Amino acid sequence: MVRRKRSRAKDPSEPDTTPSNPPAPVTTPAPPASRLPKDAIKRINIGQSFAEYDAALADSGIYVRTPALEASLDPDSGKVFFVGRRGTGKTAVRKFAETNGDSTRVIIPEIFSPSSTLQEVQLLLNLKQKPFRSLVSAFRRALQIEIISMWKDSRPGHHRIPMDVQNELDEFENVDFDMRCLSIISRISGALAASDDEKWLAENKVARKVADGMKQLGTEGTPTHTILIDSIDDYWEGSDEGLIYLTAFMHACQEISSQIPWARAIIFLRENIFERVRALDTESSRLETAVVGMEWNERQLLEVVEKRLNRNLTAKYALRGATWQAFFEHPDEAWENVLTYCQRRPRDILIYTSNAVEAAQGAGHDRILLEDVQQARRRFSDNRFRDLGDEYSENYPQIATVLSRFYGLGNAFTFGGVESLIRKLFNDPEVIRLCGSWLSPNASPEKFIRLLYDIGFVGIRAAGKSPKFRALGPLDTSPPPVGDTTDIVVHRCYWDALDLQDTLVRHLPEEIEFGSIGKIEDLPGGLDRTEYVDHIEMLIDEIKNIQVGPAGAADFEEVVGDVIRLCFFRSLENVEAKSRDAEGRVVRDWIASNRASGGFWEAMRTRYGATQVIWECKNYSELHADDFHQLSYYLNNFGGKLIVLVFRGEMKPAYYGHMKRIAMHNNGFVLPLNEKDLMVFLRQARNGKIKEDHIQDKYDSVIRKLT
């Protein structure tokens, strides 16, 4: 295929991101008479585009009033499931609801990655039968106990609580949420498996009895107590068991929210996970009445940027276009550039704008010029391409490998062009090794096109029409029909990252090799992608077989070292084992240099001076006071005051007391991780996921317990 010089003129094949029913165009008022304040461009701080790290979200004035944000605070809305693709604001809405709700508590459950189930999976698939309803009942009981605990904590002192409610509290209040779920599931399912109908009925009715007691506790003026369930995908492996557990959990959340007047359980869920639940649940229409999508219109997207551009100004510009017009030269064209590339996602809008701001700051411009906006295009495209592979790594492990094979090809394909592309993919050994498990079931052109459409990589273009791209939320999931007369068009935001040509691919000859995008990411130790995945799979198997206790201590330490090298190599370098201080008295199991340029590890370096990160390994399940006393010796002002403690058990309330003393007396922080966390890091690395959200969530969880 001969490369053509790409024209910058609008091409008929260029995707049109305008929805079928576009909102009225944003009208911008005349530019202000005065110029921007001196050094206004230098003082812009868009903030961290990833909500889990964004300090700007502590400012309630930074939020935009979308339907999802309003529904999060309105218990009468009936909305329980907040569904959208990555970057559409789910975590931001959760943070807003957590801060502004009457009484809230955040839960990040680990239960959706069960290592085994107490019932045969086939028995759980019928959602109307006892096994599945037992799961719903168990989850409902666990959630109700959490809400009652919140109610009691908000009213210190003696309370007259109905007996059924008090009995549940006495037995489960002080048990970790996931362990509580497992214990109740075991009890109900055990009775069912033993055909003990009397015990099964008694256990199953507890949820309803407790709910009746909770209704008695509610009085006029009782604030709504809301549980916010987030980061479902952290521990969810996508297995059949995990999917059934999640579906039952969602039913339990909806029952609580609809039947107890002062209680509410909200789930923030990725759109691709919700689609799997919808496919399993034959009565999903009941769930869909409680769904709110994370869609944004053009006015809201403009507002989310303008509020951040205004943040550091004393005299702020008006919204609805005035702020954008003040900061940007050729504002209409600049906004069209940003909107066309960003698929109407607020995170993408912020990233693109931030890149343009940094280009203007680097060039010393007084306003953000059109050339700054265009210069940001390639950087944004590279970022968006990486993020796409990361977003769908759980559904389609290493999908970035397949997407990278588009490099240097055309930006549009006929149906026949897609067929020849698929044939070439199946002749690629690396693709088959890393992606064969999900690529083979999607080998037909129709299924392959549907897959690319579902993840937002391509749109479908019927003859004589503009391409249609997937919506952001759960409202529009059906693609246009695919056939010999339709083409697929790669979304404009990926053209630069993949160096796509302005051409329609009708056929790919067998002798033509795939182009090379270069390394999608650097890998440790000079490993290629296949070797990297093989190493990780070996570690996953090895962890499961390491004996707890002294006999397996050395093996456990080696595994932790490999996890550091394979999962955190982008931020932690120069990993050293058995590192001693100058006197040889202090021996650290592992120590790594923190060279992060952003994200979680940079935040740790800023907050705790953690230029060096110490990892301590304990190959046993019960921690003791001596273990924490040992950790305090490791903290100093030279390498920093952060220690990662990896052990084989579960967190207990007593551990937080020791960690709090270290924080108060040594100004340091202990981040506890266990075997489950190591498995999450390895699974995400194997699938190609590079975000640090899981370790950030673990950090947040400990901080909340300590405060």
Side-chain angles (χ1 to χ4, degrees):
M1 182 179 298
V2 178
R3 176 180 290 275
R4 301 180 189 174
K5 182 177 180 181
R6 182 162 59 227
S7 169
R8 290 298 175 188
K10 177 80 172 180
D11 188 274
S13 66
E14 183 171 344
D16 182 1
T17 56
T18 304
S20 55
N21 295 307
V26 176
T27 56
T28 58
S34 59
R35 305 177 68 180
L36 280 176
K38 185 179 180 181
D39 294 334
I41 296 296
K42 293 181 181 177
R43 288 186 279 133
I44 293 176
N45 181 8
I46 297 295
Q48 172 57 253
S49 58
F50 291 91
E52 50 267 50
Y53 310 128
D54 193 357
L57 293 178
D59 177 6
S60 60
I62 211 74
Y63 290 87
V64 175
R65 293 282 174 167
T66 62
L69 196 76
E70 298 288 359
S72 71
L73 296 182
D74 182 9
D76 295 328
S77 68
K79 300 304 182 184
V80 178
F81 312 116
F82 289 65
V83 179
R85 289 182 62 186
R86 177 187 285 184
T88 51
K90 294 185 297 299
T91 299
V93 171
R94 188 261 287 172
K95 284 178 175 283
F96 183 84
E98 181 182 2
T99 305
N100 296 279
D102 291 324
S103 180
T104 61
R105 180 175 294 178
V106 175
I107 293 179
I108 298 175
E110 303 177 17
I111 190 69
F112 304 120
S113 180
S115 56
S116 62
T117 53
L118 299 172
Q119 294 287 328
E120 293 291 332
V121 172
Q122 292 301 318
L123 296 177
L124 293 167
L125 289 176
N126 190 329
L127 275 55
K128 295 183 178 181
Q129 297 302 313
K130 284 183 178 180
F132 181 81
R133 295 308 306 169
S134 298
L135 270 182
V136 175
S137 178
F139 283 129
R140 180 169 171 172
R141 285 177 64 178
L143 287 165
Q144 288 176 168
I145 294 165
E146 197 75 23
I147 294 170
I148 299 165
S149 173
M150 293 167 59
W151 180 90
K152 199 174 85 170
D153 289 348
S154 66
R155 294 165 175 76
H158 178 71
H159 306 287
R160 296 185 63 182
I161 298 176
M163 183 177 296
D164 290 320
V165 176
Q166 188 61 58
N167 290 340
E168 284 283 89
L169 284 176
D170 291 341
E171 188 164 7
F172 295 111
E173 181 182 12
N174 295 319
V175 179
D176 171 82
F177 179 77
D178 292 292
M179 298 303 294
R180 182 190 308 154
C181 289
L182 286 174
S183 179
I184 298 174
I185 290 171
S186 175
R187 184 176 296 185
I188 297 177
S189 298
L192 187 62
S195 300
D196 189 340
D197 290 343
E198 184 177 350
K199 183 178 180 182
W200 178 83
L201 282 170
E203 292 288 349
N204 218 39
K205 286 183 177 180
V206 171
R208 289 197 295 273
K209 290 179 179 179
V210 172
D212 291 339
M214 292 174 70
K215 293 175 186 177
Q216 297 175 32
L217 295 177
T219 60
E220 186 175 348
T222 300
T224 300
H225 290 58
T226 305
I227 294 179
L228 305 166
I229 301 108
D230 200 6
S231 302
I232 293 291
D233 55 312
D234 271 12
Y235 287 97
W236 189 64
E237 293 183 342
S239 64
D240 291 339
E241 295 92 333
L243 181 61
I244 293 168
Y245 272 46
L246 176 58
T247 305
F249 188 81
M250 291 174 67
H251 279 265
C253 288
Q254 188 173 25
E255 289 180 8
I256 286 173
S257 300
S258 61
Q259 296 176 17
I260 303 173
W262 56 273
R264 193 180 185 199
I266 291 176
I267 300 181
F268 297 90
L269 201 60
R270 287 250 296 275
E271 167 262 336
N272 54 314
I273 297 177
F274 179 72
E275 282 302 305
R276 290 199 60 192
V277 172
R278 180 150 52 182
L280 171 73
D281 192 347
T282 55
E283 297 187 5
S284 62
S285 57
R286 295 173 58 189
L287 299 180
E288 289 175 15
T289 61
V291 172
V292 59
M294 305 299 295
E295 291 85 0
W296 291 64
N297 62 37
E298 185 175 340
R299 179 191 61 76
Q300 293 161 348
L301 292 169
L302 182 61
E303 185 178 337
V304 80
V305 178
E306 289 188 313
K307 286 189 170 184
R308 290 170 183 258
L309 291 172
N310 264 323
R311 268 184 78 209
N312 292 333
L313 296 184
T314 303
K316 303 186 187 304
Y317 289 89
L319 302 177
R320 302 292 181 97
T323 300
W324 184 270
Q325 195 160 15
F327 278 90
F328 283 81
E329 182 187 60
H330 303 297
D332 292 339
E333 190 174 352
W335 178 245
E336 185 61 30
N337 265 268
V338 174
L339 199 63
T340 299
Y341 274 75
C342 293
Q343 295 184 308
R344 296 178 176 268
R345 275 196 274 209
R347 177 183 296 173
D348 290 354
I349 296 281
L350 292 177
I351 291 174
Y352 197 125
T353 305
S354 181
N355 292 348
V357 168
E358 290 176 15
Q361 290 170 337
H365 294 156
D366 294 330
R367 293 180 78 193
I368 304 168
L369 307 183
L370 196 57
E371 65 190 68
D372 299 320
V373 177
Q374 293 171 342
Q375 182 180 332
R377 181 183 299 169
R378 177 59 186 247
R379 180 179 170 190
F380 171 79
S381 185
D382 289 340
N383 179 293
R384 187 68 201 93
F385 181 75
R386 288 194 301 270
D387 198 47
L388 180 66
D390 192 31
E391 179 177 0
Y392 287 95
S393 62
E394 294 292 341
N395 300 67
Y396 311 110
Q398 298 296 336
I399 190 172
T401 303
V402 167
L403 300 181
S404 69
R405 297 313 194 252
F406 281 81
Y407 180 81
L409 302 177
N411 56 20
F413 287 72
T414 65
F415 191 84
V418 173
E419 287 182 306
S420 61
L421 174 67
I422 294 171
R423 285 195 296 270
K424 286 183 65 62
L425 289 173
F426 275 93
N427 289 327
D428 188 320
E430 185 179 46
V431 167
I432 295 304
R433 167 66 181 87
L434 300 177
C435 311
S437 60
W438 57 263
L439 187 59
S440 294
N442 293 283
S444 69
E446 293 83 0
K447 289 184 177 181
F448 187 67
I449 291 172
R450 173 64 191 259
L451 187 157
L452 297 181
Y453 175 88
D454 282 346
I455 68 174
F457 184 67
V458 303
I460 298 173
R461 181 176 62 195
K465 296 184 179 180
S466 298
K468 179 184 177 183
F469 289 87
R470 174 70 187 272
L472 291 180
L475 302 180
D476 181 14
T477 59
S478 300
V482 175
D484 293 339
T485 61
T486 55
D487 304 329
I488 67 166
V489 180
V490 178
H491 193 280
R492 187 68 182 85
C493 68
Y494 305 113
W495 289 11
D496 291 281
L498 292 167
D499 283 333
L500 299 183
Q501 302 178 57
D502 271 346
T503 187
L504 179 66
V505 178
R506 300 181 182 278
H507 177 70
L508 287 175
E510 293 294 332
E511 63 273 12
I512 297 295
E513 295 185 0
F514 282 123
S516 175
I517 195 173
K519 289 187 176 179
I520 298 174
E521 57 185 346
D522 294 326
L523 296 176
L527 298 174
D528 63 30
R529 170 56 55 184
T530 302
E531 293 171 330
Y532 178 70
V533 170
D534 287 343
H535 276 66
I536 288 175
E537 290 180 345
M538 288 173 59
L539 275 181
I540 290 174
D541 291 337
E542 190 173 344
I543 288 180
K544 298 175 182 177
N545 297 320
I546 294 177
Q547 183 178 347
V548 177
D555 291 335
F556 186 63
E557 283 184 22
E558 285 301 316
V559 164
V560 172
D562 286 337
V563 169
I564 300 170
R565 284 188 286 257
L566 292 174
C567 301
F568 298 104
F569 62 88
R570 300 172 187 86
S571 302
L572 304 183
E573 302 179 23
N574 193 20
V575 182
E576 181 183 353
K578 298 298 181 185
S579 175
R580 296 176 178 268
D581 66 355
E583 290 82 17
R585 292 182 298 178
V586 177
V587 183
R588 287 74 55 106
D589 288 340
W590 294 99
I591 189 167
S593 300
N594 183 359
R595 299 175 186 172
S597 58
F600 172 78
W601 293 107
E602 183 191 34
M604 295 299 98
R605 187 172 64 239
T606 301
R607 181 160 186 178
Y608 302 107
T611 58
Q612 306 293 316
V613 179
I614 297 168
W615 293 66
E616 186 67 16
C617 309
K618 304 297 181 186
N619 192 40
Y620 38 81
S621 57
E622 298 281 342
L623 297 175
H624 307 285
D626 288 347
D627 295 320
F628 293 96
H629 188 64
Q630 174 193 4
L631 299 181
S632 64
Y633 284 113
Y634 295 161
L635 302 173
N636 59 64
N637 293 323
F638 297 102
K641 298 191 174 184
L642 171 69
I643 296 175
V644 181
L645 173 62
V646 190
F647 69 113
R648 301 293 294 276
E650 301 291 338
M651 286 295 293
K652 296 185 176 180
Y655 299 166
Y656 293 105
H658 297 298
M659 293 161 62
K660 195 166 189 176
R661 280 191 288 275
I662 290 176
M664 294 175 63
H665 294 278
N666 301 87
N667 295 319
F669 187 80
V670 177
L671 178 61
L673 302 174
N674 61 17
E675 183 176 338
K676 288 182 181 178
D677 299 310
L678 297 183
M679 294 294 281
V680 170
F681 299 142
L682 289 168
R683 174 172 52 83
Q684 291 181 343
R686 178 192 62 193
N687 293 342
K689 186 172 183 176
I690 60 177
K691 279 191 65 182
E692 298 172 336
D693 49 355
H694 180 70
I695 197 167
Q696 176 72 46
D697 288 339
K698 298 296 291 189
Y699 172 82
D700 291 344
S701 175
V702 174
I703 287 290
R704 289 169 184 150
K705 290 288 196 303
L706 297 183
T707 55

